[in-house]
Amino acid sequence: MGAPMAGHLLAAGHSLTVHTRTRTRADELISRGAAWANTPADAAARADVVFICVTDTPDVEAVALGPTGILAAARPGLVAVDHSTISPVATRRFAAALAEKGTHFLDAPVSGGDVGACNGTLAIMVGGDPQAFAHIEPLLRLMGKTITHCGPSGAGQLTKLCNQVLVAVTNLAVCEAMTLAKESGLDPLNTIQAVAGGGAGSWQLSNLGPKMVAGDFAPGFMVDLQLKDLRLVIEAAKDAGLTLPATSLVSRLFAAAQIAGHGRDGTQALFTVVEHVAKSGPSDRSS
Amino acid sequence: MGAPMAGHLLAAGHSLTVHTRTRTRADELISRGAAWANTPADAAARADVVFICVTDTPDVEAVALGPTGILAAARPGLVAVDHSTISPVATRRFAAALAEKGTHFLDAPVSGGDVGACNGTLAIMVGGDPQAFAHIEPLLRLMGKTITHCGPSGAGQLTKLCNQVLVAVTNLAVCEAMTLAKESGLDPLNTIQAVAGGGAGSWQLSNLGPKMVAGDFAPGFMVDLQLKDLRLVIEAAKDAGLTLPATSLVSRLFAAAQIAGHGRDGTQALFTVVEHVAKSGPSDRSS
């Protein structure tokens, strides 16, 4: 997702330096005028604002604090913005380490997928220093539609994890409703049309329901990444002294989807697992 | 909900005869020109179309097939329309009994609550004979906004039950997300604003989320009725050879809400149970 997001900065006339682990992924941006940096530190040394977009907590740790990471180029006035979805606790640790050099680290995970990244319609949930947020907000507005300052460091990540609870459990609601519709002899598309405009309505129903019915599992948002995010949710819940029963349930069902070979399919592939579990019926006994 | 629905028929200039178990509930309609009938049979004898709006399967059975029920006045050309949410299996039995006298029985459960009934914005999900549906559809359009013919007798009820799976499990998604937000130190209203426009968005989040946060449990749709509908869902799933794990889970949580005294509160009161369960943590072990 980093490439289209960076492309919006370039298109708006900003000077852009890029570093990626797989250099070919930067080719298109470089052909449009971006400079190449050999390391994250090199990129940070040449910029006022540095954006990170990787996968998981250890990836951000390497980019932020590793030997060739942003910390090596940290200085007062630099703002680092992390668009990855990672641990809120680790986020606060990265922010504290960079703060020692006067650099602000803002967590700014996004929602909206590849489509949102390409169209500049992402939701961006930001945690960290309010003044640093105000300073870089115009740049975020080039990449997203709904930009929200959620609180201190980690609050953006926590908000994204709440988002993932909603996304995953609402997806499960759609899976069970579509299973009941299909196995009861209804036309599931007719069911969606009948109910989507009312209290049953959701983004998941309108967007993923028809794909479930059609057996179209092209991603969107991949099962592997949803499962990574649900692991972060369950860790964050544990940190807050909470167990979340439906989130735990859907997490186990996504793990089943992964082991069934759906890891790189879209999250609507959860439907195949729910349908199978519903027909074989173990969950009612075990839950 | 029957009174405002019948009021739309009266307002459109139709001749209306009403019967209710509690006569005072008809006073307002009678003051506006409706006639009173002593029994459902009496009402059906004087009408071309008879609408039923009661609570549960035995109530509809009494109104449709009881000694003073519609069956006693059944004749070719009469159409009976049942707006209650009841068993799809029993619905087919009622329809078969009335069909012997040439009367069509359409299941037509509604979604949208008291507000939808008053504003004429209900979703109405209809099962039964397509020609009988076409005949009465203009009357349904006076009461609802989304009118869908879902299939043969029982298909309206089955569609409503799919609606209730979505409503209840999406509600649970909102409860868990709001619990995580609150207990992690976020401002839950800020969380709703940050995520409601994207893949996490749902009617339940936008409408019930703020009420959960405010502790406003005024109904809307009551926990007692949600629990009755979830019992019908689980029966229908069993009839189709299915167990639905999240629906089973949310059904148990609504039962806990009922026993905690929230039966006549709105379904957003589920939040109090989810918050308590999340903090005391038994569900992660048992599910």
Side-chain angles (χ1 to χ4, degrees), chain A residues 60-274:
Chain A
V60 176
E61 179 149 28
V63 171
L65 307 188
T68 61
I70 294 166
L71 185 63
R75 60 195 187 277
L78 178 67
V79 180
V81 182
D82 178 23
H83 289 306
S84 323
T85 298
I86 66 163
S87 158
V89 173
T91 291
R92 289 182 205 117
R93 184 162 55 81
F94 304 157
L98 287 162
E100 288 183 12
K101 299 287 181 71
T103 290
H104 287 294
F105 181 87
L106 302 176
D107 43 313
V110 302
S111 172
D114 290 337
V115 173
C118 291
N119 298 343
T121 56
L122 294 170
I124 309 182
M125 295 149 265
V126 187
D129 183 75
Q131 289 180 317
F133 168 72
H135 179 60
I136 60 109
E137 191 182 1
L139 299 173
L140 297 181
R141 298 223 167 267
L142 298 171
M143 299 186 267
K145 190 180 60 169
T146 309
I147 318 294
T148 309
H149 186 255
C150 303
S153 182
Q157 295 296 350
L158 284 166
T159 301
K160 175 67 187 286
L161 297 183
C162 294
N163 184 84
Q164 297 308 73
V165 168
L166 289 161
V167 161
V169 179
T170 306
N171 184 341
L172 180 54
V174 178
C175 290
E176 292 199 2
M178 291 297 97
T179 299
L180 180 60
K182 192 175 160 189
E183 298 301 317
S184 302
L186 295 176
D187 168 359
L189 287 179
N190 177 285
T191 304
I192 294 171
Q193 285 159 14
V195 308
S202 64
W203 187 99
Q204 297 286 314
L205 178 65
S206 296
N207 289 273
L208 297 190
K211 292 183 181 180
M212 290 176 191
V213 175
D216 171 8
F217 297 146
F221 183 60
M222 282 194 294
V223 167
D224 282 345
L225 292 174
Q226 176 72 86
L227 203 48
K228 181 213 79 171
D229 289 356
L230 287 171
R231 174 177 55 70
L232 294 168
V233 168
I234 290 168
E235 283 171 13
K238 200 176 167 191
D239 289 340
L242 301 172
T243 54
L244 302 174
T247 303
S248 300
L249 171 63
V250 75
S251 181
R252 289 196 300 277
L253 293 168
F254 270 118
Q258 189 181 53
I259 207 168
H262 291 294
R264 299 185 66 81
D265 285 337
T267 54
Q268 69 272 24
L270 184 68
F271 176 61
T272 62
V273 171
V274 170

Side-chain angles (χ1 to χ4, degrees), chain B residues 24-41:
Chain B
T24 51
R25 291 201 169 182
D27 284 350
E28 197 252 336
L29 289 167
I30 289 168
S31 76
R32 289 169 57 194
W36 171 256
N38 281 316
T39 66

Side-chain angles (χ1 to χ4, degrees), chain B:
Chain B
M1 289 173 65
M5 292 168 70
H8 294 305
L9 299 172
L10 203 57
H14 291 284
S15 152
L16 183 73
T17 302
V18 295
H19 170 76
T20 61
R21 288 171 290 189
T22 310
R23 182 163 173 167
T24 51
R25 291 201 169 182
D27 284 350
E28 197 252 336
L29 289 167
I30 289 168
S31 76
R32 289 169 57 194
W36 171 256
N38 281 316
T39 66
D42 184 20
R46 300 194 225 165
D48 301 317
V49 185
V50 56
F51 299 90
I52 306 168
C53 196
V54 291
T55 303
D56 208 348
T57 309
D59 309 299
V60 176
E61 180 151 27
V63 170
L65 308 187
T68 61
I70 293 166
L71 184 64
R75 60 196 187 276
L78 179 67
V79 180
V81 182
D82 178 24
H83 289 306
S84 324
T85 298
I86 66 162
S87 158
V89 173
T91 291
R92 289 182 205 116
R93 184 162 54 82
F94 304 157
L98 287 161
E100 287 184 12
K101 299 286 180 74
T103 290
H104 287 294
F105 182 87
L106 302 176
D107 44 309
V110 303
S111 171
D114 290 338
V115 172
C118 290
N119 298 342
T121 57
L122 295 169
I124 310 182
M125 295 150 262
V126 186
D129 183 74
Q131 290 180 314
F133 168 72
H135 179 59
I136 60 109
E137 191 183 0
L139 299 173
L140 297 181
R141 297 220 167 270
L142 298 171
M143 299 187 268
K145 189 181 62 171
T146 309
I147 318 293
T148 310
H149 186 255
C150 303
S153 182
Q157 295 296 350
L158 284 165
T159 301
K160 174 67 187 285
L161 297 183
C162 294
N163 184 84
Q164 297 308 74
V165 168
L166 291 160
V167 161
V169 180
T170 306
N171 184 341
L172 180 54
V174 178
C175 290
E176 292 199 1
M178 291 297 97
T179 298
L180 180 60
K182 192 175 160 188
E183 298 302 316
S184 302
L186 296 175
D187 168 358
L189 287 179
N190 177 285
T191 304
I192 295 172
Q193 283 159 16
V195 307
S202 64
W203 188 98
Q204 298 286 314
L205 178 64
S206 296
N207 289 274
L208 298 191
K211 292 183 182 182
M212 290 176 191
V213 175
D216 170 8
F217 297 147
F221 183 59
M222 283 193 294
V223 167
D224 282 345
L225 293 174
Q226 176 72 85
L227 202 48
K228 180 213 79 170
D229 289 357
L230 287 171
R231 176 177 54 71
L232 294 169
V233 168
I234 289 168
E235 284 172 12
K238 199 176 167 193
D239 289 341
L242 302 172
T243 54
L244 301 174
T247 304
S248 299
L249 171 62
V250 75
S251 180
R252 288 196 301 277
L253 293 167
F254 271 117
Q258 189 181 53
I259 208 167
H262 292 293
R264 299 183 68 80
D265 285 338
T267 54
Q268 68 273 26
L270 184 67
F271 177 61
T272 61
V273 171
V274 170
E275 202 179 19
H276 180 76
V277 167
K279 287 181 186 174
S280 47
S283 287
D284 204 41
R285 290 195 295 275
S286 70
S287 71

